[in-house]
Amino acid sequence: MLLMEKLYITYNQIHNTVKGLTEEIRESGFDPDLMVAIGTGGFIPARMVKTFINMPIITVGIAYYDLDDNQMDHPVITQWLDQPEKQIKGKKVLLVDEVDDTRATIGFCLDELMKHEPAEIAVLVIHNKNKAKKHEIPSYIKHYFVGKNFEDPWICYPWDAEDTEEQDRLALQS
Amino acid sequence: MLLMEKLYITYNQIHNTVKGLTEEIRESGFDPDLMVAIGTGGFIPARMVKTFINMPIITVGIAYYDLDDNQMDHPVITQWLDQPEKQIKGKKVLLVDEVDDTRATIGFCLDELMKHEPAEIAVLVIHNKNKAKKHEIPSYIKHYFVGKNFEDPWICYPWDAEDTEEQDRLALQS
């Protein structure tokens, strides 16, 4: 029997991790023009980031199901930029997601965003798992902001909780 | 001197309000195909809704500042649908925002979305303020889901908090 470690996280913990990350961004000298939030995991982190460093948020929808609910073995775009020339070209972009797991989604987004010729892209994730990755971090990425590093637990995010009190109780024990 | 009532809300309170709203949606018989989240206030509520009723989230960016940071007196689109024919036409859409204040943003989005010929649109907001509105709720809206109604307090959302502990403490007193 394989037991997988489950790690419960509260909203406040993520908010505080984001706050720390935005201090790191300021100290790094990277001064983003906008965020690109990877949906749907990046929506909540990106909105939290905006509190500490105000900038527009553009979202992209990436899923392993297409809009007709067919399961895919590679990332599919469910929403993309509507005006990439205006939104991305020549801009400093902060790409935001909740977790760097296999890095497949983040790698895919980086490849796609680079086609629109940003001035620079940096990445922010709340959590990184120290595991085999499907993409290298490309050499053009000078800033990769990670809130916390873990081995490979099953991370239980607060937005997925059926019961917030139970989530808080389990997070205290995590 | 005018004193405005400030109402502090925690993440867990919003999560629980969303949970109740999704029960109302199920009971109403409205069975949405997708959400359209109004950015950036609708991002966090929409992601919470998805936990209880799983469906894709498409986002639209509406602001009173354009992408070049000029202040506008009317809503401007900072991001729109990239494939509205595929995303909206003939679909049952749940439009999500955090608050119905003057209803200017929601009214604007409804007008714009209707151009793409959805089968139906319903609206979900976490909070409604009982105040003068700039738009009527159009007659084609059969379902308008409101988590809580208030008079006209200044609502302090958890994602805007500098300090989560202070936010929780003030929310207990609100």
Side-chain angles (χ1 to χ4, degrees):
Chain A
M1 189 172 155
L2 270 173
L3 282 176
M4 193 167 192
E5 186 199 354
K6 274 187 164 186
L7 190 66
Y8 291 84
I9 314 270
T10 69
Y11 284 113
N12 283 358
Q13 286 172 335
I14 290 180
H15 191 103
N16 291 330
T17 298
V18 163
K19 185 175 181 175
L21 282 165
T22 57
E23 286 159 13
E24 273 184 52
I25 292 173
R26 283 187 210 284
E27 286 163 16
S28 78
F30 178 67
D31 182 19
D33 297 307
L34 81 158
M35 275 178 271
V36 171
I38 300 177
T40 62
F43 287 174
I44 291 180
R47 181 57 192 79
M48 292 171 172
V49 168
K50 185 175 163 69
T51 293
F52 300 100
I53 303 180
N54 189 27
M55 65 186 118
I57 306 174
I58 302 284
T59 74
V60 293
I62 308 292
Y64 290 79
Y65 292 84
D66 67 17
L67 280 175
D68 300 318
D69 216 27
N70 303 308
Q71 190 171 358
M72 315 297 273
D73 59 1
H74 55 87
V76 288
I77 293 173
T78 56
Q79 179 175 17
W80 196 243
L81 312 161
D82 60 320
Q83 314 172 63
E85 277 286 312
K86 181 153 191 179
Q87 292 161 321
I88 301 295
K89 192 171 180 178
K91 300 283 176 70
K92 293 188 291 289
V93 176
L94 181 64
L95 181 66
V96 176
D97 207 351
E98 92 278 43
V99 63
D100 180 339
D101 188 274
T102 65
R103 202 178 287 144
T105 309
I106 292 168
F108 176 77
C109 283
L110 287 173
D111 290 346
E112 291 296 317
L113 287 172
M114 284 305 285
K115 296 177 185 171
H116 304 305
E117 302 174 34
E120 185 175 347
I121 307 186
V123 177
L124 178 152
V125 291
I126 308 301
H127 300 133
N128 174 58
K129 296 186 180 180
N130 296 321
K131 63 192 285 189
K133 303 292 185 180
K134 290 186 180 169
H135 275 72
E136 296 287 306
I137 297 174
S139 58
Y140 58 76
I141 297 288
K142 294 182 211 132
H143 301 285
Y144 201 99
F145 304 100
V146 173
K148 290 186 193 301
N149 286 286
F150 297 122
E151 290 313 306
D152 193 12
W154 178 352
I155 306 176
C156 300
Y157 285 97
W159 44 85
D160 288 324
E162 274 286 325
D163 180 329
T164 54
E165 281 183 28
E166 177 82 350
Q167 180 82 10
D168 286 0
R169 195 180 60 72
L170 292 167
L172 270 175
Q173 298 170 4
S174 283
Chain B
M1 186 171 156
L2 270 173
L3 282 176
M4 191 166 194
E5 185 198 355
K6 274 189 166 185
L7 190 66
Y8 291 84
I9 314 270
T10 68
Y11 283 113
N12 283 358
Q13 285 171 335
I14 291 181
H15 192 102
N16 291 329
T17 299
V18 164
K19 185 175 180 174
L21 281 165
T22 57
E23 286 160 12
E24 273 184 52
I25 292 172
R26 282 187 210 285
E27 285 162 15
S28 78
F30 178 66
D31 183 19
D33 296 307
L34 81 159
M35 276 180 269
V36 171
I38 301 178
T40 61
F43 287 175
I44 291 180
R47 181 57 192 80
M48 291 171 172
V49 168
K50 185 175 163 70
T51 292
F52 300 101
I53 303 181
N54 190 27
M55 66 187 116
I57 306 174
I58 302 285
T59 74
V60 294
I62 308 293
Y64 291 79
Y65 292 85
D66 66 17
L67 279 176
D68 300 317
D69 215 28
N70 302 308
Q71 191 171 357
M72 316 296 275
D73 59 2
H74 55 88
V76 288
I77 293 174
T78 56
Q79 179 174 17
W80 196 245
L81 312 162
D82 60 320
Q83 315 171 63
E85 277 285 313
K86 180 153 192 178
Q87 292 161 321
I88 300 295
K89 193 169 179 178
K91 299 283 176 73
K92 294 190 291 287
V93 176
L94 182 64
L95 181 66
V96 176
D97 208 351
E98 93 276 44
V99 63
D100 180 339
D101 188 273
T102 65
R103 203 176 290 145
T105 309
I106 292 168
F108 175 77
C109 282
L110 287 173
D111 290 347
E112 291 296 318
L113 287 173
M114 284 306 285
K115 295 177 184 170
H116 303 306
E117 302 174 35
E120 185 175 346
I121 307 187
V123 177
L124 178 151
V125 291
I126 308 300
H127 299 133
N128 174 58
K129 295 185 180 182
N130 297 321
K131 64 192 284 187
K133 303 291 186 181
K134 291 187 179 168
H135 274 72
E136 296 286 307
I137 295 174
S139 58
Y140 59 75
I141 297 288
K142 294 182 211 133
H143 301 285
Y144 203 98
F145 303 100
V146 173
K148 290 187 193 299
N149 286 286
F150 297 121
E151 289 314 304
D152 193 11
W154 178 353
I155 305 176
C156 300
Y157 285 97
W159 45 85
D160 288 324
E162 274 286 325
D163 180 328
T164 54
E165 281 183 28
E166 177 83 348
Q167 180 82 9
D168 286 358
R169 195 180 60 73
L170 293 167
L172 270 175
Q173 298 169 5
S174 282

